[in-house]
Amino acid sequence: MSKKILLSHGGGGEETQSLIKDLFFKHFENDILLKMEDAAALTMNTKRIVFTTDSFTVSPLFFNGGNIGKLAIAGTVNDLVMMGAKPKYLTCSFMIEEGFLFSELETIVMTMRDEMAKSGVLIVAGDTKVVPKGGVDGLFINTSGVGEIMVEGISAHNLKPNHSILVSNEVGNHGACILARREDIELETELKTDCASLWKPVEALIEAGVKVVAYRDATRGGLSAVLNEWAETSNVCLEVDEDKIPVAPEVKGICEMLGFEPYEFANEGTMVLCVEEGEEQKALDILHKFEETKKASFIGKVNDKYENRVILNTPWGSSRFLEPPKGELLPRIC
Amino acid sequence: MQKVDLIEGFRNPEHIKALAELIKKEATHKINIMEVCGGHTHTIMKFGLPQILPQTIEFVHGPGCPVCIMPKERINHAIELAKMPNTILATLGDMIRVPGSQTSLQKLRAEGKDIRSLYTPLDVIKIAKENPEKNVIFFAIGFETTTPMTAVLLDTVIKEGIKNIYFHINHVTVPEAVDTIMGDGDAKIDAFLGPSHVSVITGYKIYEPIVEKYNTPVVVAGFEPTDVMESILRIVRQFNTGEKRFVDNEYARAVSREGNIKAQELINKYMKKREHFRWRGIGDIPKSALKLKDEYAAYDAEVKFKQVLPTQELDDHKACICGSILKGLAKPYDCKVFGKACTPSAPMGSCMVSSEGACSAYFKYGKLTAKGA
C-alpha cells in the first residue's frame, strides 16, 4: 500500500520529526533551516525590506504546467518582486488532509525546491499541520516572504498621463487551464499555466536602469483587476488596445464558448508594468530575452480622459469601459 | 483534423469597417432592429457596434435571456426545492445569482444547501451516481438552445434506470415571445436579428410566420461582430429593395431551414407545450414554454414535490420599466432606478439580472461619452 500522511505526522512526536527530516529538510536544505531553532535569524543587506504573505488553495492540486507548490513559491516571490525587491527568505506552512499521499506531497515539495532555485530564495522556517479528513481539501499551503528593496519608489500610486502600460505575457492562461481541468473541457492543444517566478526579468530591468513606475502580477481578477486598481489608486484613465493584448487562441476559444473575458482570468506568472514615456522599447527588449516574458507587449497609455476608468479600444474604432471583475465567474447559458 | 477559425476571421477590423461604411451609405431611413437574443445584446455592447453605426440604426433589446425572463415565483420554486432535506439542486450559469422574493440560490448555498452550477446538464448523471441517497433536481432553463440537452439527460436517466433525478422544466420558446411583443401594437420594431444558437436547433423556418404576419424582415445572425454587421446590412437592403420581406440566413455556417431534426424529435418525445407561462417583465404568454409530457410525470419535480412549491405570482417593483425596454419603447438609461437602486449585484428588474440582459450589458460596458458629460 502506498504511504499516506497520518494524523500522527502532525502530532509533534517521532513521526513529525521523520516527516520534517525525510521530506522537508531533504529538499529544502539550507544552513538557516537546518539549525532547527524556534525562529530563523536572518541577515539582510538593505535597510528597507518588503514583507508579504499568501495562502494557496487550488482545485485540482495538479494541473498542466504546475501544481500548488509551484504557485506557493512563485506567488509569494512575485509579490516581493513587484515591489522592486530581491526575494530572500520564505516561511512555509503546510495544512495537510489526513490520508494525503506521501508521494504526491513529495512531488509538490520537489516542485517548490526547483521553483526556489529560479530566484535563489530560501525556505528558512516552516510548520506542518495534519487535519482530519474533510478538514481541508487535500492540501493548503501558506508562504510568507521577505525581500530586499533594490529600487525605491515603485508604487501603484504614481501613474501619470503619458506613462505606458505593458503586459509581460499572454493573459488568462492559468485561469483557463484550471477551468478546463476542473470542468473536464478537453482541448486539442496543450494549454499550460503561465505560473512562473518573475525575479529574473525584473532583476534585468532594474540592472538596465529601465524607468519602471509600477509592477503588479495579474493574479485573481486578471488584467482587468490590475488596470482598474491602478486607475483608481492613481486617479487616472488607462486606455488600452484590445489587439495588442496577447491572448492564446485556446483561451479565446474557452472564453467564447463559455462567455468569459480573458482579461478577468487569473494569471500566476504574468505582470503588468507601467513605465515612463520612451522606456517601452528598452523594457520590451529585455523582457523578450526571458522565456517567461517573451510575449511581452506594449498595450496602452495612461491619460486624463476620465478618472478611475479603463478604456478598451477595439481595432475597428469603437471602445468601451473595461469594468473590474465582479462576483463569481459563471458560464453563459446559451 | 484541420483547424477551423471560428473567431479571428469574424473579427477582422477591415471587414467590420467596410460593413460600417456600406451601412452608413445605404441606411438612409430610420430602422429599429430588435436583437431577440441576449447573446446578440452582449455582442453589440461588448464590441461597441452602435459607435460605428449611423444614427438611423437603433437597437431594441429583446427578451432572449433565459435567466432574465424567469419570474420570481419560479425562482422561489428552485429555492424551496433546494431547501428540502437530502436534496441537491443543479442548474445552469448565473441562475444561481438571481434573487427570488426572499433570497437567491447563491445565498442559500452559502447557508449550507447543496446547490450546483453546471457547465453541462449531463453532469447531473455524475452527481446523482455519487449521491445515491439524495434526490438531485435539475432546474432546467433556457430557450430552444439548451432544451435538447435536458431531453438527452432525461433520455439517459430512463435508459440507465437512474432513480434519483427529477426535472423542474422552465424551457421557453422564441416565436411566441416575439409574437406577443409585436402583437400589442405599441412596439416600435421594424426588423429582427434572429438568434444564432436557437436557430441551429429549430431551423430558420420558425420565423416565417412572424415575417408573414407583421411584414418585418428577420435575419438570422451569428454572434461575432462581422455577423451582426453583415446582418444589419442585409436588413437595410431588404428595406431598400422594396420587395416582399423574408427570412434571411446570415449564419449559414451553422443554421439550416429545418434545423437539427434529431434534437427536435428528442424534445418532442419528452416535452409538450404549457398552456401558460409568465415571463418576467412581459406577463403571460400562452404556449411559450415546455413541460414534461404526462407519461414522464414520475420525473417531474413540479408533480413529485408539488406540496412545497409556492403558487403566488410575483411582479417586479413598480419603478422597473423592463416591460417597456423589451418592447423597444424605452432604453435602460430611461429607467429611474438604472445603475442606482438596480445594479447587477442587486437587480430589481429582469433586464439587470443576468449578464445577457440589456440593462446588465449597458451597466457593464457603459456608454463612452465626452469627459464631464
Side-chain angles (χ1 to χ4, degrees), chain A residues 252 256 306 318-319 328, chain B residues 8 11 47 51 106 109 369:
Chain A
K252 258 185 209 168
E256 284 311 310
Y306 293 87
S318 66
S319 48
E328 281 178 61
Chain B
E8 293 307 321
R11 294 184 186 177
F47 296 108
Q51 297 166 35
Q106 197 171 30
R109 188 180 64 185
T369 54

Side-chain angles (χ1 to χ4, degrees), chain A residues 39-324:
Chain A
L42 307 174
T43 312
M44 302 296 279
N45 298 323
T46 56
K47 251 189 169 173
R48 299 235 311 145
I49 62 165
V50 286
F51 179 35
T52 188
T53 188
D54 208 340
S55 296
F56 298 83
T57 70
V58 61
S59 173
L61 293 171
F62 293 85
F63 42 84
N64 210 1
N67 59 46
I68 187 171
K70 187 170 170 120
L71 287 183
I73 299 300
T76 295
V77 161
N78 289 343
D79 282 347
L80 300 171
V81 171
M82 295 304 104
M83 295 298 291
K86 177 182 168 62
K88 292 286 286 185
Y89 305 113
L90 302 179
T91 68
C92 177
S93 294
F94 291 92
M95 277 137 281
I96 313 167
E97 187 181 21
E98 171 188 19
F100 197 79
L101 282 177
F102 184 87
S103 59
E104 289 198 343
L105 186 59
E106 183 154 38
T107 305
I108 290 167
V109 165
M110 284 158 65
T111 309
M112 292 172 79
R113 175 198 64 197
D114 296 345
E115 193 60 31
M116 284 192 288
K118 291 176 192 163
S119 56
V121 75
L122 301 173
I123 286 180
V124 292
D127 182 50
T128 310
K129 294 283 185 292
V130 181
V131 299
K133 208 143 189 80
V136 297
D137 183 8
L139 173 69
F140 293 172
I141 302 177
N142 170 275
T143 51
S144 297
V146 289
E148 298 167 344
I149 290 190
M150 307 304 283
V151 46
E152 288 285 346
I154 300 286
S155 166
H157 292 269
N158 298 345
L159 276 72
K160 292 198 177 68
N162 288 327
H163 284 160
S164 297
I165 306 294
L166 279 56
V167 63
S168 72
N169 196 354
E170 289 168 337
V171 298
N173 289 6
H174 180 75
C177 169
I178 294 289
L179 183 76
R181 187 61 216 279
R182 200 179 287 166
E183 302 302 334
D184 284 332
I185 299 167
E186 286 179 24
L187 298 170
E188 282 186 22
T189 49
E190 287 272 287
L191 178 64
K192 272 192 186 157
T193 174
D194 62 318
C195 183
S197 298
L198 293 167
W199 169 240
K200 286 290 164 197
V202 169
E203 183 184 33
L205 290 171
I206 294 171
E207 279 173 0
V210 178
K211 290 175 189 136
V212 177
V213 178
Y215 300 95
R216 180 71 57 88
D217 52 341
T219 53
R220 268 178 306 177
L223 175 67
S224 171
V226 173
L227 296 177
N228 277 287
E229 276 166 33
W230 279 3
E232 197 162 317
T233 38
S234 285
N235 210 15
V236 288
C237 174
L238 270 55
E239 187 164 357
V240 297
D241 294 332
E242 191 154 35
D243 56 348
K244 293 187 184 139
I245 303 172
V247 183
E250 298 90 327
V251 175
K252 258 185 209 168
I254 286 182
C255 284
E256 284 311 310
M257 204 162 71
L258 300 171
F260 294 135
E261 292 238 43
Y263 318 128
E264 295 190 0
F265 274 173
N267 307 280
E268 289 296 342
T270 299
M271 61 181 161
V272 189
L273 302 89
C274 174
V275 302
E276 288 187 14
E277 189 173 27
E279 296 284 288
E280 306 85 4
Q281 200 51 51
K282 204 168 154 190
L284 287 177
D285 288 344
I286 291 168
L287 292 171
H288 289 160
K289 286 181 193 155
F290 295 86
E291 186 59 32
E292 54 273 39
T293 55
K294 73 171 183 217
K295 289 178 182 158
S297 171
F298 170 27
I299 61 168
K301 298 288 286 182
V302 180
N303 62 42
D304 59 1
K305 285 188 191 169
Y306 293 87
E307 287 180 350
N308 314 331
R309 296 307 295 257
V310 179
I311 298 174
L312 187 72
N313 293 324
T314 70
W316 47 86
S318 66
S319 48
R320 63 171 162 114
F321 289 127
L322 185 65
E323 286 287 323

Side-chain angles (χ1 to χ4, degrees), chain A residues 316-318, chain B residues 12-27 48-57 225-226 228-230 232-233 236:
Chain A
W316 47 86
S318 66
Chain B
N12 182 317
E14 296 317 311
H15 295 176
I16 295 169
K17 284 183 201 160
L19 285 162
E21 281 312 308
L22 285 172
I23 294 167
K24 263 179 211 160
K25 211 161 72 190
E26 297 181 31
L49 301 184
Q51 297 166 35
I52 55 169
L53 284 166
Q55 298 277 326
T56 46
I57 302 293
T226 51
V228 172
M229 296 296 282
E230 160 91 28
I232 292 168
L233 184 63
V236 170

Side-chain angles (χ1 to χ4, degrees), chain B residues 159-186:
Chain B
K159 280 183 183 149
E160 293 194 16
I162 301 168
K163 297 287 175 215
N164 59 332
I165 295 178
Y166 300 93
F167 294 78
H168 188 286
I169 304 283
N170 300 279
H171 288 300
V172 283
T173 52
V174 167
E176 292 76 11
V178 171
D179 192 39
T180 297
I181 287 171
M182 291 302 284
D184 74 359
D186 310 332

